[in-house]
């Protein structure tokens, strides 16, 4: 939740928030932070800072660190490179937001519900990114899952109809509504 709070505080784009969660969970799973060389707070802050740079929401490191009490600029700066090394400098992450937009445009052709559906689905995606879901499923599946959840909350059958029609067009798809 802290990653969400920090991203909101710095008004970072949603993609940066998702990337920060993905970096943090990838690091946390692949490089368990069992030693005391890097405290978890600074690792998390470094994930957010790195994500802001990856997703063009870059903020000045000095400003970033000054606005968060007890944050050492030198540590965040050093951890940025440690994170990059731990990620093998692979910082290209696919986002579920573009597939989400494409599905919404395709499903909600009249346009009247698009913004509210998008807003609700994005909140679901952010919640998913706070778990290990993005490490297990591709972004398109995550976008579809968020739309399914949103459709269920809104008691809207458009999504189920869309999936049924999609299955009819391509029987090789294994979609269970």
């Amino acid at each position: 939740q802290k990653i969400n709070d920090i991203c909101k505080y710095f008004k970072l784009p949603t993609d940066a928030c998702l990337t920060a969660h993905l970096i943090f969970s990838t690091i946390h799973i692949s490089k368990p932070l069992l030693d005391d060389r890097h405290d978890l707070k600074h690792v998390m802050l470094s994930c957010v800072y790195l994500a802001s740079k990856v997703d063009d929401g870059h903020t000045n490191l000095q400003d970033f660190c000054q606005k968060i009490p007890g944050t050492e600029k030198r540590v965040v700066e050093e951890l940025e490179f440690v994170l990059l090394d731990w990620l093998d400098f692979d910082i290209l992450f696919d986002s579920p937001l573009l597939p989400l937009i494409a599905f919404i445009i395709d499903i909600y052709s009249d346009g009247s519900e698009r913004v509210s559906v998008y807003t609700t689905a994005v909140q679901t995606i952010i919640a998913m990114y706070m778990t290990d879901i993005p490490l297990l499923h591709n972004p398109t599946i995550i976008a579809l899952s968020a739309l399914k959840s949103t459709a269920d909350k809104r008691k809207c059958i458009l999504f189920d109809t869309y999936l049924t029609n999609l299955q009819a067009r391509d029987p090789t798809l294994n979609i269970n509504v």
Side-chain angles (χ1 to χ4, degrees):
Q1 184 59 45
K2 283 290 187 189
I3 289 174
N4 294 344
D5 295 342
I6 291 166
C7 290
K8 184 183 269 185
Y9 178 77
F10 285 101
K11 297 179 176 131
L12 296 176
T14 304
D15 272 333
C17 182
L18 297 177
T19 299
H21 280 293
L22 194 53
I23 291 170
F24 187 79
S25 61
T26 300
I27 295 303
H28 192 68
I29 288 173
S30 66
K31 302 282 188 194
L33 302 167
L34 299 177
D35 62 37
D36 58 358
R37 289 183 298 154
H38 309 292
D39 70 288
L40 202 52
K41 172 188 171 184
H42 280 88
V43 170
M44 179 207 48
L45 291 173
S46 298
C47 288
V48 173
Y49 180 68
L50 179 58
S52 77
K53 291 172 78 172
V54 168
D55 290 311
D56 296 329
H58 178 60
T59 186
N60 178 285
L61 182 59
Q62 184 68 33
D63 294 340
F64 183 78
C65 293
Q66 283 180 341
K67 292 181 179 177
I68 302 171
T71 303
E72 295 179 40
K73 177 185 175 219
R74 176 194 55 76
V75 175
V76 173
E77 199 168 42
E78 177 185 309
L79 273 169
E80 177 185 1
F81 292 100
V82 170
L83 293 175
L84 284 168
D85 182 47
W86 284 350
L87 293 167
D88 294 325
F89 294 89
D90 182 10
I91 56 172
L92 293 175
F93 301 104
D94 291 327
S95 170
L97 298 183
L98 290 177
L100 176 67
I101 292 168
F103 287 127
I104 289 173
I105 289 170
D106 205 20
I107 296 169
Y108 299 92
S109 57
D110 69 353
S112 62
E113 296 182 70
R114 286 181 181 169
V115 173
S116 61
V117 168
Y118 176 80
T119 303
T120 305
V122 166
Q123 292 309 311
T124 302
I125 289 171
I126 290 171
M128 289 174 168
Y129 268 65
M130 293 171 65
T131 69
D132 62 351
I133 288 173
L135 300 173
L136 301 172
H137 301 285
N138 74 47
T140 303
I141 297 301
I142 292 171
L144 281 171
S145 299
L147 275 175
K148 173 65 173 156
S149 174
T150 300
D152 289 349
K153 286 177 192 172
R154 300 167 66 89
K155 297 182 182 8
C156 177
I157 62 166
L158 282 176
F159 182 77
D160 292 342
T161 304
Y162 176 76
L163 285 183
T164 303
N165 292 339
L166 198 59
Q167 181 83 41
R169 282 187 274 169
D170 186 356
T172 63
L173 295 174
N174 186 17
I175 301 173
N176 296 320
V177 177

